[in-house]
Amino acid sequence: MTVGVLALQGDFREHIAMLIEIGVNAVEVRTPEELDVVDALVIPGGESTTIGRLATIYGLIEPIRVRCDSGMPVLGTCAGMIFLASSTTEGEQPQLGVLDARVRRNAFGRQVDSFEADIEVSGFDSPMHAVFIRAPWMEKIGSDVEVLAEVTDRQGDTHPVLVRQGRILATSFHPELVGDTRLHEMLVALIDEA
Ligand code: GLN
């Protein structure tokens, strides 16, 4: 079993380390050929416009889309979530469009508004410590998208920050920065299911 981490930009090394920790063969993915041999894909946090532009240049957009459509498990964190989604409230940027959601980039504010919180995740028996760094949230999600965790903003409104649609998992926060391997384990469990 091999899990790829899209390694164009962002914190892909942290994801590789998490996967190694849970005993998975983890490889960096930068080309369609490298994508071909993985059983699942992690799309890291970083800058979604940069990841999208580089994925376009490397000819990866269509191949990733095709793999997602054929049921490959995917975990996208933060910028990775934005890249998976169908649209952003900020307008056009390269996106895979495989996750039926409209996302708001930098939804919680600027860099100084980055924060950490313990959040309840449905199906987990203890909270996840979640790090939000210029994080997005989901504004509008399709009926196939299941919300696994949400947060309440300063106005008291709740927003999805962890969702699942089929074998696609997407989070606003960074599990790879706090050493909580549960979402990576969930991704690996989805390979067995596939
Ligand atoms: N703000 C970034 C974006 O819009 C995401 C930040 C992150 O991945 N931590 O792409």
Side-chain angles (χ1 to χ4, degrees):
M1 184 187 306
T2 301
V3 177
V5 181
L6 191 64
L8 302 173
Q9 190 266 338
D11 71 338
F12 54 89
R13 290 179 193 85
E14 285 77 359
H15 280 287
I16 298 261
M18 293 282 278
L19 292 163
I20 290 171
E21 196 183 315
I22 59 170
V24 168
N25 182 34
V27 297
E28 296 179 3
V29 169
R30 292 189 188 80
T31 64
E33 293 71 32
E34 287 167 347
L35 177 71
D36 278 346
V37 301
V38 304
D39 301 299
L41 185 69
V42 176
I43 305 178
E47 198 56 44
S48 59
T49 46
T50 307
I51 293 174
R53 282 194 198 122
L54 291 172
T56 306
I57 292 167
Y58 282 69
L60 277 164
I61 301 261
E62 202 47 37
I64 297 175
R65 235 176 234 155
V66 168
R67 289 296 308 275
C68 291
D69 287 345
S70 63
M72 173 182 69
V74 189
L75 167 65
T77 62
C78 206
M81 177 182 98
I82 299 167
F83 186 45
L84 285 168
S86 35
S87 62
T88 74
T89 56
E90 288 68 38
E92 293 277 303
Q93 66 181 70
Q95 284 175 289
L96 295 167
V98 293
L99 172 66
D100 188 6
R102 173 182 284 266
V103 295
R104 178 173 294 278
R105 296 179 62 197
N106 307 312
F108 296 92
R110 292 147 33 104
Q111 182 75 26
V112 291
D113 301 307
S114 296
F115 65 101
E116 300 183 23
D118 290 320
I119 59 169
E120 297 293 337
V121 176
S122 82
F124 287 4
D125 49 18
S126 62
M128 271 198 107
H129 188 66
V131 179
F132 294 84
I133 303 169
R134 287 182 299 113
W137 67 43
M138 279 162 267
E139 296 256 322
K140 219 176 106 204
I141 55 172
S143 52
D144 292 345
V145 181
E146 184 190 354
V147 177
L148 300 180
E150 43 191 18
V151 294
T152 305
D153 67 18
R154 289 196 194 105
Q155 279 74 45
D157 298 321
T158 56
H159 306 276
V161 292
L162 171 58
V163 297
R164 176 178 172 181
Q165 178 188 328
R167 296 198 190 99
I168 299 173
L169 294 167
T171 76
S172 298
F173 53 88
H174 290 274
E176 74 283 8
L177 296 183
V178 292
D180 190 327
T181 55
R182 286 178 287 179
L183 289 178
H184 294 76
E185 282 159 26
M186 199 189 271
L187 179 74
V188 171
L190 290 173
I191 301 177
D192 296 332
E193 189 190 292

